[in-house]
Amino acid sequence: MKTQHLWNGVQMCRLHAAIDPDAPLQMVEIPESWDKEAATAILNFCPEYYTDKSPIQADILASRWIFPLCRQTSTITPQDWETLLLFRQACPNDAIWKNNYNAKLGITINLAAFASSEKGFNARTYRHALHVATQTLRILHNQQSNNTNGELPFTKITKKPRYNDTLDLLSVPPKPTAGTIYLSNLDACLAQLGYDYDHPDSRDIACCIACFTTLLANIGCGSDFLPLLPDWNALPELSKEAKELWALASEEPETAQPRVNTSFSLPNNVADLLLGVETCGFHPNFSPLKENGHLKTSTLLRLFHRGYTLETALAALLSSETILALPSMQSQYAMHKALVGFVTHMPAKPDPITNPLFLKATLPRGVRKTLPPRRKGITQKASIAGRSLLLRTNEYEDGSLGELSITTTKENTMIKGLLDYLSQAVTIGLQYGASLDDYVDIFAYSHFGISGTVEGDPNAMYATSILDYCFRALSDIYLEKFLPDAPNNIREKENYSPMLPFQLSEDGEEVNKKILLSKKRNLKLVS
């Protein structure tokens, strides 16, 4: 059988990628407009029997499910999915890529791919993409039902429910679901349209897009699944198309089609890697920078809509102007509350404790908080086992720790250098948002090197190391958490060496006299 290819005439490139950091690198061939994250997604979508190929070609991998799908219908062509994948507008989940008949079907839509700073939101292209996605899910759902457990489908004989009987109404089985359409990259879409995430108009636009998606996904399913009606004036590009969709979705068909759910994508969605989204689902961008330190596309777009260039934006920042305000958790809660009722399945409300996106809000990656020119702090002089040290700190305006310095006086250059560079590493972490609690958990009660009695600090009597004393002192000063001294039991029984002939060991037994005799020394008189 001749292998069928996609993207004829499209420039391809080969990259080395791995599913996880511990896995070996593999060669992947993808379109040149894609990035390395897309190559990683292709590896995740690759079936096990195809992983021994080198290189793993994305066009051949996609053709294995696109061409069989298009042979079953005349409403979808291979060119439709060629375009959606090439321009990173939509991507199926791994159940479709791997032909897994036991997993749930889903397709992720990249909302930012349908928005433009010049032309606004492309409603016609978005409607066509949703049509392709819904038809794909319904066709594969029927194929999945036929191939489950390797059995042929049996004709289902169902009893028509009597709607005048409440018990019969409750016993009616739910209508089948073909799959789910997941919306993603909402914040970047809003940036394309020139809106900030926390603006009230942004929530209205998000509701219009979600309602439009739910309407089209449920055409032919009956009026039981109609969403709420949004304010279409927030996004005029969708208003004309939405009226037509509302009329089609309100009709009661003779034979209802399988329902297609709508939702927003969640973290760890592999399809988001292939689509190159900045944030999954409806979540905002808590940082204006990528992991490599470059500005995100949404950041550049918002600067463009404000009339800034990179040079003028840098000048404004140097003059202490606030150009872009990062979104807060309250704006994310407001977006979640606004979208409820416009999609069939809304993800759970973000939890400020367990949600990893909240950690990004408290630890903005790539944003360093510098210390003020005039700063306060403490200087603590102490000694451990007779060896003196100086602990110096500098603070922010709110009194939080921003800089640390540990200096010894009688140690060799190697120990001084290690403590100096360790202090600089901890300082950089603190200024980039790392928690002092984490450093205290690691270094407190560390046992190595110089240890012994502490002098000069009434809050500590004994330290197991220099770092143990310093970070317990920082915990007491800046976290208001007093950590007691470690137990002074470093002497082990087998190494216990009594100083007096009749001194007893800890268990009360007399010291072996042979050990004492072996330690006698000959005296020599020196004049």
Side-chain angles (χ1 to χ4, degrees), residues 240-258:
K240 183 178 179 181
E241 300 279 345
K243 293 178 181 179
E244 182 182 352
L245 292 182
W246 191 276
L248 294 174
S250 302
E251 296 178 357
E252 293 290 343
E254 295 181 1
T255 304
Q257 296 188 18

Side-chain angles (χ1 to χ4, degrees), residues 270-499:
V270 181
D272 285 337
L273 291 178
L274 191 142
L275 297 176
V277 305
E278 293 183 350
T279 54
C280 64
F282 67 94
H283 300 291
N285 274 314
F286 285 116
S287 174
L289 302 177
K290 300 179 182 178
E291 293 185 358
N292 58 6
H294 296 168
L295 291 175
K296 291 182 178 179
T297 305
S298 59
T299 305
L300 295 173
L301 290 170
R302 289 191 168 104
L303 291 176
F304 169 75
H305 285 289
R306 284 170 167 79
Y308 285 104
T309 63
L310 293 180
E311 291 79 7
T312 57
L314 178 60
L317 286 175
L318 293 176
S319 60
S320 302
E321 295 183 17
T322 302
I323 302 177
L324 296 177
L326 297 179
S328 61
M329 289 296 297
Q330 286 73 20
S331 62
Q332 189 179 11
Y333 294 152
M335 182 66 75
H336 181 276
K337 183 178 180 180
L339 289 171
V340 173
F342 295 99
V343 292
T344 56
H345 288 80
M346 191 64 193
K349 184 178 179 181
D351 190 348
I353 298 178
T354 61
N355 188 12
L357 294 174
F358 176 75
L359 298 179
K360 290 186 178 181
T362 57
L363 300 174
R365 198 163 188 173
V367 179
R368 186 172 184 175
K369 184 179 179 182
T370 58
L371 286 165
R374 179 174 294 181
R375 61 201 73 166
K376 298 180 180 180
I378 61 105
T379 299
Q380 174 67 56
K381 183 177 181 181
S383 63
I384 302 176
R387 302 186 180 184
S388 60
L389 63 90
L390 287 175
L391 174 64
R392 299 185 181 95
T393 64
N394 287 317
E395 304 171 356
Y396 291 107
E397 293 88 342
D398 58 357
S400 59
L401 180 62
E403 189 175 19
L404 169 67
S405 175
I406 303 174
T407 307
T408 58
T409 57
K410 296 183 179 180
E411 305 306 320
N412 55 38
T413 56
M414 184 183 72
I415 295 180
K416 289 182 179 180
L418 289 175
L419 290 176
D420 184 27
Y421 283 106
L422 175 67
S423 302
Q424 294 183 27
V426 174
T427 298
I428 293 174
L430 293 172
Q431 293 181 2
Y432 273 90
S435 174
L436 179 59
D437 282 304
D438 296 335
Y439 287 117
V440 172
D441 291 340
I442 294 174
F443 295 117
Y445 302 116
S446 57
H447 187 189
F448 62 89
I450 302 171
S451 61
T453 304
V454 176
E455 297 178 355
D457 188 350
N459 296 325
M461 300 297 294
Y462 180 81
T464 58
S465 65
I466 294 178
L467 297 183
D468 166 54
Y469 165 72
C470 292
F471 282 91
R472 284 197 294 121
L474 294 176
S475 175
D476 185 21
I477 297 171
Y478 292 100
L479 302 179
E480 297 182 355
K481 295 180 181 179
F482 176 74
L483 300 179
D485 297 336
N488 186 4
N489 55 357
I490 59 175
R491 296 182 301 177
E492 298 181 358
K493 180 179 177 181
E494 58 270 19
N495 296 329
Y496 179 71
S497 187
M499 299 180 63

